[in-house]
Amino acid sequence: MNLPRFIYHSPSSLKECIATLADKKNSAQVLAGGSDLLVRMKLRLEAPGSLVSLADIPTLKDIVYRPGKGLTIGAGVTLSLLASDAVIRERCPALADAAGLVATNQIRTVATIGGNILQNTRCRYYNRSPLWGMAVSPCFKRNGGLCHVVPRGKRCFAVYQGDLAPLLIALNASVKIVSKKGAEEAPLESLYSGDGKSPFNNLAGKVVEGLTIPEGSLNMLSAYRKYRLRGGIDFPLAGVAVALKLDNGLVQDLRLCLTGVASRPFTVQGAGDAAKGKPLGRELAREEGKLAYAAAHPLANLEGDPAARRSMIRIMTEDILASFMV
Ligand SMILES: Cc1cc2nc3c(=O)[nH]c(=O)nc-3n(C[C@H](O)[C@H](O)[C@H](O)COP(=O)(O)OP(=O)(O)OC[C@H]3O[C@@H](n4cnc5c(N)ncnc54)[C@H](O)[C@@H]3O)c2cc1C
């Protein structure tokens, strides 16, 4: 499929990038690796008049560890680099492992961490060709007034399927966002609106410069598990990330975040409170698995049986906690 026509901008600094976005107003979109955006453009789900590429902004490709402050990763760091970089492997091996589970080798070579956390929500009734789209009534995400998955639904239930955001949220990561008004730091979790149609809170004209995982989280045990149809290429049909801090064998802090089950990366409320002060063991793993299962409500908007995806959430949660016991 061909791309629609657009004007390509390749600023060499963040300042120039912000100015170009401001100049083009709503007609411009940020282009990182393009492995999400260009596919959507080919399907004519989006047709921005201008693309502002981040490829020539060297500062977005830095990976820096500062003792006491944490690990800062530029938004333009590719997933291949994330999976193999020595600093990431040493300081946050779970993130390197999770990056290695995204899509395929070829895609990871161009795909960036910034594009990964900001990838759009997906649905089997939305990520389709224009011809397919003409065969059904337009849903909320196609600017219509209905949802094919939840017939009486009042909003879009398209699913967030990013692999990295759940782990980064469990690790309490923050993002640095730059706009014409300056730079601001915010918890990564605050970017997500929970609405499948417009999954991000107010990012127009803004660029994510990078993410920081605080020092305290780097000392936690953490891991991500993903359920997909094939071992390579596929998006998660369900995914679980856990970050855990132990003190003398007792849980001090536990954070549990899911993907592929809601329109945003979904933090399981109460997971930490339920674990606090308890020993890490089979009983706790089962309890956390049950909590994650109860919180997850996957719908029939992706391939795979929603009930099986929900069961996998429980199984993967238990599996991660069991892996921390050895
Ligand atoms: C076949 C296939 C399989 C895939 N499998 C997976 C998978 O298993 N798991 C997974 O998580 N993803 C998967 N993806 C989706 C995609 O490849 C990844 O999410 C990738 O990391 C997106 O990064 P990118 O740099 O290519 O983003 P782009 O496509 O360039 O951008 C994605 C979105 O983020 C915005 N954006 C990007 N960077 C910034 C920034 N710094 N500031 C502001 N906005 C920004 C863009 O405007 C765009 O809206 C798959 C894609 C394909 C085609």
Side-chain angles (χ1 to χ4, degrees):
M1 279 177 122
N2 295 330
L3 282 164
R5 293 181 81 83
F6 60 87
I7 300 169
Y8 180 76
H9 303 266
S10 55
S12 54
S13 69
L14 204 48
K15 201 171 162 197
E16 195 189 331
C17 175
I18 299 296
T20 311
L21 284 172
D23 185 43
K24 301 291 165 196
K25 301 211 164 60
N26 292 339
S27 72
Q29 273 225 44
V30 170
L31 176 71
S35 62
D36 177 47
L37 179 57
L38 296 183
V39 179
R40 279 188 284 134
M41 287 173 66
K42 285 187 176 184
L43 292 174
R44 300 301 189 268
L45 299 171
E46 287 192 57
S50 295
L51 292 184
V52 185
S53 170
L54 304 180
D56 294 329
I57 308 178
T59 50
L60 296 183
K61 293 170 187 164
D62 292 341
I63 297 172
V64 183
Y65 170 69
R66 291 187 191 85
K69 294 235 155 65
L71 182 62
T72 299
I73 305 164
V77 168
T78 64
L79 303 186
S80 302
L81 182 59
L82 205 57
S84 60
D85 182 76
V87 177
I88 306 276
R89 280 254 152 241
E90 185 191 343
R91 301 287 165 190
C92 196
L95 182 60
D97 291 344
L101 294 176
V102 175
T104 63
N105 229 336
Q106 292 92 330
I107 292 174
R108 290 194 294 273
T109 308
V110 294
T112 63
I113 186 169
N116 192 274
I117 59 171
L118 296 176
Q119 68 176 274
N120 216 299
T121 50
R122 303 173 58 81
C123 176
R124 69 203 303 188
Y125 293 92
Y126 174 70
N127 297 87
R128 297 282 188 168
S129 68
L131 190 62
W132 195 96
M134 283 162 65
V136 291
S137 310
C139 64
F140 287 119
K141 203 154 167 80
R142 286 178 182 266
N143 296 321
L146 59 92
C147 173
H148 295 291
V149 180
V150 182
R152 287 197 202 96
K154 297 274 184 280
R155 67 162 177 93
C156 169
F157 288 86
V159 191
Y160 182 80
Q161 286 185 279
D163 274 312
L164 302 186
L167 180 66
L168 289 162
I169 289 172
L171 291 169
N172 230 354
S174 61
V175 276
K176 187 172 175 189
I177 304 165
V178 187
S179 70
K180 236 172 70 174
K181 293 183 184 152
E184 55 181 307
E185 195 93 19
L188 171 59
E189 195 163 17
S190 70
L191 293 191
Y192 303 95
S193 69
D195 176 24
K197 181 176 161 70
S198 310
F200 304 105
N201 286 323
N202 188 23
L203 276 180
K206 299 180 179 176
V207 176
V208 170
E209 186 178 343
L211 298 104
T212 297
I213 303 169
E215 180 80 48
S217 299
L218 295 175
N219 301 326
M220 294 174 89
L221 293 164
S222 61
Y224 173 70
R225 295 276 191 283
K226 159 177 187 175
Y227 169 55
R228 54 183 162 177
L229 292 182
R230 294 166 290 186
I233 210 174
D234 285 333
F235 285 86
L237 295 177
V240 179
V242 181
L244 173 80
K245 186 167 198 163
L246 288 175
D247 187 17
N248 281 329
L250 301 180
V251 176
Q252 209 180 59
D253 193 6
L254 184 150
R255 299 185 218 124
L256 178 50
C257 190
L258 313 177
T259 193
V261 297
S263 298
R264 56 177 301 155
F266 189 84
T267 296
V268 178
Q269 300 299 328
D273 289 343
K276 205 162 184 151
K278 292 186 182 161
L280 174 62
R282 294 270 161 207
E283 202 180 317
L284 180 68
R286 268 197 297 274
E287 196 181 337
E288 291 293 325
K290 274 188 199 161
L291 274 177
Y293 179 88
H297 297 286
L299 299 168
N301 41 13
L302 304 177
E303 307 84 357
D305 174 19
R309 287 165 48 213
R310 195 176 184 202
S311 293
M312 284 306 293
I313 289 284
R314 179 178 55 71
I315 291 165
M316 291 187 291
T317 305
E318 289 184 19
D319 185 47
I320 292 177
L321 288 167
S323 75
F324 293 158
M325 293 172 208
V326 290

